[in-house]
Amino acid sequence: MKPYVTITLLATALLAGCGGEEAQQESCGVSPTISVYNAATEETLYQEKSVCLEEDATVLDALKATGLDLEVTGNGDMSYVTAIEGIEEKSEGQSSGWVFAFNGAPGDEGAGAKEVESTDVIQWRFEEDAVAFFE
């Protein structure tokens, strides 16, 4: 194959790849920012960044979009996150578990019920005293 043909093919492939990313970004209904943090060990499991979701997506949908390993009981509005990346509720004491902050305040609805918008910032946290997080 001649060098100019190889360069042309490579350039075409790169441009096609870029167009795919733009098309994907445009198809986002909402793109909230999310992070996941283990406060017990001070370890960041998912660095803060935006995720691409459909309209009417929830806090739980945003968590699922991170690609982290999740354990969830129930479904829909009654979904409850019991573990993220193998870190299970009650593993650091009877009151330990996963909670989320929504725009800087403790979540006031279940993760499967709370809808998100592009301007929202969600932080999932593993707390040794999950109850105290809401006080």
Side-chain angles (χ1 to χ4, degrees):
M1 187 179 288
K2 295 183 180 179
Y4 66 87
V5 173
T6 303
I7 293 170
T8 303
L9 290 173
L10 180 59
T12 303
L14 289 173
L15 289 174
C18 290
E21 288 177 23
E22 288 174 13
Q24 182 180 1
Q25 289 175 352
E26 291 173 9
S27 67
C28 295
V30 294
S31 53
T33 301
I34 185 168
S35 62
V36 182
Y37 179 71
N38 182 342
T41 62
E42 299 182 358
E43 178 186 8
T44 299
L45 303 175
Y46 188 82
Q47 201 72 2
E48 184 176 275
K49 69 178 180 179
S50 295
V51 291
C52 181
L53 304 171
E54 295 179 6
E55 287 287 334
D56 302 324
T58 65
V59 168
L60 182 58
D61 294 325
L63 180 60
K64 288 177 179 179
T66 66
L68 296 173
D69 183 36
L70 308 177
E71 290 182 30
V72 180
T73 60
N75 54 32
D77 292 356
M78 299 305 291
S79 297
Y80 178 73
V81 176
T82 59
I84 300 175
E85 290 296 296
I87 303 165
E88 298 178 348
E89 68 173 338
K90 299 181 182 170
S91 62
E92 292 291 328
Q94 195 62 24
S95 298
S96 65
W98 287 98
V99 295
F100 69 90
F102 189 81
N103 296 326
D108 59 357
E109 290 182 71
K114 184 75 170 178
E115 290 189 9
V116 297
E117 296 186 17
S118 293
T119 56
D120 293 329
V121 177
I122 305 155
Q123 184 185 49
W124 278 90
R125 298 177 58 91
F126 181 78
E127 294 286 342
E128 291 183 63
D129 187 354
V131 175
F133 179 78
F134 293 97
E135 296 175 344

